[in-house]
Amino acid sequence: MKKTFNIILVGIIMLLASACSSQKLNAVRLPLGYIPNVQFAPLYVAIEKGYFAEEDIQVELDYNMETDSVALVGSGELQFAIVSGEQVLLGRAQQLPVVYVAAWYEDYPVGIAALKEQNLRSPQDLKGKTIGLPGLYGASYIGLEALLHAGGLSDADVTLQSIGYTQVESLSNQVVDVVDIYTTNEPIQLQARGYEVDVLPVSDYLSLVANGLITNEKTLEQDPDLVRGMVRALTRGITYTAEHADEAFQICEKYVDNLASLTSEEQDVQRRVLAASIKIWQVEQPGYSDPQAWQNMQDLLLRMGLLSDPLELSAAYSNTYLPE
């Protein structure tokens, strides 16, 4: 009798193990808005450490444009994306039901950089300057407008020149006076080339909503556990990367083209980019959205004329899905 019971018990265990092993993972395609880069280390870490897998999620990273991502998430073609806060508000103004559910960055990563001889000390010093920026769109443009406003200036007080993503070359060759940059990237590259630069980060003057995880209202309603799983995996990746930067950098080598084959000097630049990124991530309260930063962002977009009317901000973001 005991032998029969043991056989039945083993059979049950095998059936349960088979059921668990055949459990289908939730496939998530996640647009990031930029090329593979060490700044995305938390996602690479979350994949390699199995944080997504523990949530029954299989993530495919997709390097796409932010506006496309917002439209796709808003229409329900995608469930998630990584975007900046202004894109959420602009999307909701177009009746796209996107919701920001986890902050990645605490500080808005945009700023202005100039060579030392420009004597750039405050936003007021931008008056009369020719400013190179990728174009009149995206987080770079939003950040620039925030700095101009902080200095009591407008577009009429400066000359804006679209230079694409050639900030390093345009500044070092003095094509423009100053460049609109990501504080964790171009200044480090310029310094590595021997240039002394001054940087004015937007976050020194105004708190704005930076990159984070968005979803849509349909997913929140129909699959809140999936949302919580995505948020947990992302925030775990952020925390682990901040605490284990060297290991995270090694993980990046699998995802960032040619990172492993760079010279030691070039790798040092990328390590500094990662270190600078970690400093402005939301590490103390992973995922938390600051209501004041959302209000500041809306006020800025209204002032720029990109929003015609105020939105219900409480519908644009949520802290409900953060890990306890």
Side-chain angles (χ1 to χ4, degrees):
M1 183 69 178
K2 184 176 181 181
K3 182 178 180 181
T4 302
F5 175 79
N6 287 340
I7 292 173
I8 293 172
L9 183 60
V10 170
I12 291 172
I13 292 172
M14 291 179 66
L15 285 171
L16 289 173
S18 175
C20 290
S21 63
S22 62
Q23 184 176 357
K24 186 177 180 181
L25 297 178
N26 292 294
V28 170
R29 181 159 65 95
L30 187 66
L32 304 182
Y34 192 55
I35 61 175
N37 191 275
V38 295
Q39 296 169 72
F40 295 128
L43 291 171
Y44 306 148
V45 166
I47 292 172
E48 290 299 307
K49 289 292 180 181
Y51 298 158
F52 286 113
E54 289 176 24
E55 305 291 346
D56 297 325
I57 299 170
Q58 183 176 18
V59 167
E60 175 192 355
L61 302 179
D62 180 13
Y63 303 91
N64 205 335
M65 293 301 291
E66 271 192 340
T67 49
D68 295 337
S69 301
V70 171
L72 290 170
V73 174
S75 67
E77 292 186 48
L78 292 177
Q79 291 178 293
F80 300 95
I82 299 292
V83 305
S84 191
E86 77 279 349
Q87 297 299 325
V88 174
L89 297 184
L90 295 174
R92 290 192 69 86
Q94 298 298 317
Q95 307 303 312
L96 294 173
V98 291
V99 183
Y100 188 99
V101 291
W104 180 340
Y105 284 71
E106 181 174 10
D107 294 339
Y108 207 68
V110 174
I112 287 292
L115 297 180
K116 205 74 175 175
E117 53 263 34
Q118 289 288 340
N119 199 32
L120 187 67
R121 294 291 180 267
S122 71
Q124 289 89 340
D125 296 330
L126 292 171
K127 186 172 184 179
K129 303 292 187 184
T130 298
I131 304 174
L133 72 167
L136 303 183
Y137 57 83
S140 296
Y141 180 46
I142 299 297
L144 171 60
E145 291 296 317
L147 280 174
L148 289 176
H149 181 74
L153 306 175
S154 70
D155 289 3
D157 295 307
V158 297
T159 300
L160 300 181
Q161 184 171 325
S162 295
I163 59 172
Y165 294 95
T166 64
Q167 292 98 323
V168 172
E169 293 74 15
S170 294
L171 192 61
S172 59
N173 293 323
Q174 300 185 33
V175 174
V176 293
D177 300 319
V178 297
V179 288
D180 193 358
I181 48 85
Y182 272 74
T183 56
T184 59
N185 194 351
E186 289 88 1
I188 294 172
Q189 294 187 41
L190 285 159
Q191 290 163 0
R193 296 188 185 191
Y195 294 99
E196 290 188 86
V197 294
D198 290 316
V199 178
L200 299 181
V202 172
S203 58
D204 282 359
Y205 300 90
L206 188 66
S207 176
L208 296 173
V209 184
N211 292 16
L213 181 70
I214 68 165
T215 186
N216 52 51
E217 294 175 0
K218 180 180 178 181
T219 301
L220 289 175
E221 179 181 352
Q222 296 184 353
D223 204 344
D225 287 340
L226 176 61
V227 177
R228 289 189 179 91
M230 284 290 293
V231 172
R232 271 194 299 268
L234 172 61
T235 54
R236 287 180 71 187
I238 293 169
T239 301
Y240 192 91
T241 301
E243 295 174 350
H244 305 85
D246 289 341
E247 182 184 351
F249 187 84
Q250 291 176 348
I251 290 174
C252 287
E253 293 179 351
K254 180 177 178 179
Y255 292 86
V256 181
D257 295 340
N258 302 320
L259 181 60
S261 60
L262 295 177
T263 65
S264 59
E265 291 80 7
E266 291 169 332
Q267 284 202 355
D268 180 63
V269 170
Q270 293 306 308
R271 289 180 186 276
R272 289 164 59 192
V273 168
L274 177 58
S277 299
I278 290 171
K279 288 180 179 179
I280 64 173
W281 290 345
Q282 184 87 345
V283 176
E284 295 300 321
Q285 292 179 289
Y288 177 75
S289 269
D290 178 12
Q292 186 59 55
W294 282 99
Q295 186 62 59
N296 293 343
M297 180 64 82
Q298 174 163 267
D299 292 345
L300 175 60
L301 296 178
L302 287 167
R303 192 163 54 243
M304 292 174 64
L306 296 179
L307 289 180
S308 55
D309 297 293
L311 301 170
E312 184 182 347
L313 290 179
S314 61
Y317 70 95
S318 175
N319 287 316
T320 302
Y321 302 90
L322 302 183
E324 296 182 359

